[in-house]
Amino acid sequence: MRSTNAVAGAMLATLLGAAWLAPSPATAQQAAQVTYARDIAPILQRSCERCHRASSLAPMSLQSYQEARRWASRIKERTQLRDQSGVMPPWFVERDVGIQHFANDEALSEHEIGLIAAWADSGAPEGNRADLPAPLVWPSSPSWDIGEPDLVVDLPSFTMEANAPDWWGVIDRAATGLTEDRHVAAMQVLEISDAEGGMGGKFIFHHAILTSTVPGGRGGGPFWPVHEVGRNAQHFDPEASPLLRAGSAFFISSAHMHSNDVTTTAHLRLGFKFHPRGYQPSKSELMLTFGNGEIDLAPMRKGQEIHLYHTLEQNMKVTSFEPHMHASGVRMCFEAIWAGRTETLNCVGYDHDWVKVYSYDPDHAPLLPAGTLVHMIAYFDTTEDNENVVDPRNWQGLGHRSIDNMAITFLPGITLTDEEFAAEIARRRQVHGLAEGEAMLGCPLCGYATVPAVQQ
Ligand code: HEC
């Protein structure tokens, strides 16, 4: 015979089960209660305001409830694009393939995207003002993502007339005023319009190859990141930082200027964060760049591919991945092929308005043995679905103009001797607690306590 207690227990379980299955009024109410003050304002502050505020580069401010409410449905639309062109914030790493750990990740989480959608769908309520986070204080000009720089260098201004043809050339030098050699930890380039507040017409610098020289020197400075329209900050691997020499000057050895339909005068402002004095890099840096060659794109066709290959001569830790294409580029995938094993390390969307660099989290950065075949697949869409294509009826080949094409990869990283490589693999195995035979994406040898010898 069942005891009363057991029956009561069974009844309770049934009740609890029922309560768990049926959406209770309380839960539905909670979902409807996503509010601007409590849930949305913190997301906009962290991920949007640096661009969406007065005196920055986005077309509208999202700093107050009135502003955010007006844009609620567009905010929902743009944040739901995930890795597609037009996504906000602009960050195009595909989430269902490849390495998902980046040091400079800007993407919203699925939870945040869901909150925004629920908020927009429920009439964008303000909620309780007492829940509002304290407002952020922003400078009156475009701001740094690397923190306040230790050194700022303003290069000479350039004026691009409305509707002028593209211009290529050299832009003269500016002295850094640096009086001692310093190692650079991070670097960012801002395009500053000479209009009030630093923001005038949209960008006119398509790209700028930045070169540093020292007095009496013959160039030969480090390979600095190439500035490109919409590009984010670069953090160098802490083990292999470039050296900026005392007395250096910067000039743009190859500038490509592009009219934005409004006569605009602007210049590049370089910001540098230094390592502490006395810092010494322990490894050698490598700026691996490869690509281009013949490009032959049919008009009005999606899914056209260009394949780029490079065999690594040394062991390499890849610190960042930066695809470079032009207007019809829409995606690039990064594969590593080693000893018959192929891995897709990342696929990222590409929007030529935002040339992004994706910096790996140091514990997830690809660790590729010498002999690895690096394979990049660049995807192009020349149809009118690609808003960046001016005239889909044109054949497109290789060229410097944005309406012509390129397919290049910048892979900054560091080279590792066999001993350094083995030590880095041992560290990885420890950080991730990898068992024997358990490799990790981007590190084909991480599954081995003893690195097997391979005939190259
Ligand atoms: C790196 C700068 C930057 C960041 C960060 C950023 N935006 Fe934007 N946003 C822009 C620029 C520039 C435009 C205009 C160009 C375009 O429409 O793509 C824009 C456009 C938009 C638009 C479309 C406006 C229209 O005219 O329809 C929306 C909506 C938007 N952003 C929302 C957001 C939200 C929400 C966030 C944060 C989750 C965000 N953005 C983060 C720079 C940024």
Side-chain angles (χ1 to χ4, degrees), residues 52 60 74-92 329-330 349-354 356 358 385-388:
H52 287 275
M60 76 286 191
R74 296 287 289 148
I75 291 175
K76 175 186 162 190
E77 254 170 56
R78 290 292 200 104
T79 51
Q80 295 213 320
L81 291 171
R82 294 186 171 82
D83 51 68
Q84 300 297 306
S85 174
V87 66
M88 285 288 146
W91 177 266
F92 308 99
V330 290
Y350 185 85
D351 176 343
H352 198 47
D353 289 336
W354 300 104
K356 305 289 278 190
Y358 302 97
D385 288 354
N386 181 350
E387 288 181 2
N388 292 335

Side-chain angles (χ1 to χ4, degrees), residues 422-444:
E424 184 62 24
I425 284 178
R427 200 188 65 79
R428 274 299 165 88
R429 288 175 55 81
Q430 199 191 8
V431 169
H432 297 288
L434 296 178
E436 189 66 17
E438 190 188 351
M440 69 182 278
L441 189 59
C443 181

Side-chain angles (χ1 to χ4, degrees), residues 312-346:
L312 295 185
E313 286 165 12
Q314 292 156 297
N315 305 314
M316 182 177 183
K317 178 161 92 169
V318 179
T319 46
S320 309
F321 170 36
E322 179 179 340
H324 180 80
M325 290 176 271
H326 280 182
S328 50
V330 290
R331 183 182 190 224
M332 194 180 275
C333 290
F334 170 15
E335 286 185 355
I337 304 167
W338 185 79
R341 174 190 170 116
T342 303
E343 290 184 343
T344 303
L345 302 190
N346 275 111

Side-chain angles (χ1 to χ4, degrees), residues 9-325:
M11 279 176 66
L12 186 63
T14 315
L15 277 173
L16 283 175
W20 183 71
L21 285 174
S24 75
T27 326
Q29 210 178 359
Q30 266 164 11
Q33 269 174 1
V34 176
T35 68
Y36 170 78
R38 191 189 53 208
D39 308 294
I40 305 301
I43 303 176
L44 301 183
Q45 279 195 346
R46 192 204 59 218
S47 296
C48 322
E49 273 189 23
R50 76 187 161 87
C51 299
H52 287 275
R53 62 183 165 90
S55 308
S56 193
L57 53 90
M60 76 286 191
S61 163
L62 292 175
Q63 288 175 290
S64 69
Y65 172 62
Q66 275 66 28
E67 291 163 330
R69 184 186 54 181
R70 189 169 152 234
W71 289 97
S73 63
R74 296 287 289 148
I75 291 175
K76 175 186 162 190
E77 254 170 56
R78 290 292 200 104
T79 51
Q80 295 213 320
L81 291 171
R82 294 186 171 82
D83 51 68
Q84 300 297 306
S85 174
V87 66
M88 285 288 146
W91 177 266
F92 308 99
V93 174
E94 292 181 18
R95 293 159 189 233
D96 52 359
V97 64
I99 298 169
Q100 295 296 318
H101 295 84
F102 292 88
N104 61 342
D105 200 339
E106 295 175 41
L108 299 185
S109 67
E110 283 301 314
H111 177 66
E112 291 167 331
I113 296 172
L115 283 177
I116 289 175
W119 175 68
D121 290 346
S122 60
E126 179 171 21
N128 183 351
R129 287 188 189 171
D131 293 339
L132 275 175
L136 297 184
V137 179
W138 294 98
S140 58
S141 57
S143 53
W144 302 99
D145 301 332
I146 55 173
E148 207 41 50
D150 299 312
L151 174 72
V152 172
V153 181
D154 280 302
L155 295 177
S157 291
F158 189 93
T159 300
M160 199 63 190
E161 300 292 334
N163 302 318
D166 285 17
W167 183 91
W168 288 267
V170 174
I171 294 184
D172 204 5
R173 68 195 57 218
T176 58
L178 195 64
T179 54
E180 54 184 337
D181 293 359
R182 294 299 295 267
H183 280 280
V184 179
M187 173 179 180
Q188 190 177 1
V189 181
L190 298 178
E191 178 174 335
I192 307 291
S193 162
D194 290 356
E196 202 179 332
M199 292 312 302
K202 286 206 180 147
F203 303 118
I204 54 171
F205 282 84
H206 166 101
H207 85 235
I209 298 183
L210 299 163
T211 305
S212 59
T213 53
V214 285
R218 298 198 195 116
F223 188 108
W224 301 104
V226 176
H227 175 65
E228 309 206 43
V229 66
R231 192 178 191 281
N232 46 349
Q234 179 90 46
H235 294 263
F236 298 103
D237 192 298
E239 294 183 304
S241 135
L243 181 66
L244 185 57
R245 303 268 307 278
S248 290
F250 272 94
F251 71 104
I252 304 179
S253 52
S254 156
H256 173 188
M257 310 303 293
H258 184 72
S259 167
N260 63 17
D261 298 343
V262 183
T263 297
T264 302
T265 300
H267 70 275
L268 295 186
R269 176 172 291 168
L270 321 182
F272 298 89
K273 268 288 203 211
F274 293 141
H275 282 291
R277 290 186 175 81
Y279 158 94
Q280 280 303 326
S282 57
K283 309 265 174 10
S284 312
E285 57 176 329
L286 173 70
M287 171 54 96
L288 182 60
T289 305
F290 61 99
N292 275 347
E294 192 52 38
I295 294 183
D296 177 5
L297 298 180
M300 298 191 273
R301 195 177 301 162
K302 286 181 192 295
Q304 302 186 68
E305 297 176 11
I306 303 267
H307 295 253
L308 315 172
Y309 300 91
H310 179 91
T311 304
L312 295 185
E313 286 165 12
Q314 292 156 297
N315 305 314
M316 182 177 183
K317 178 161 92 169
V318 179
T319 46
S320 309
F321 170 36
E322 179 179 340
H324 180 80
M325 290 176 271

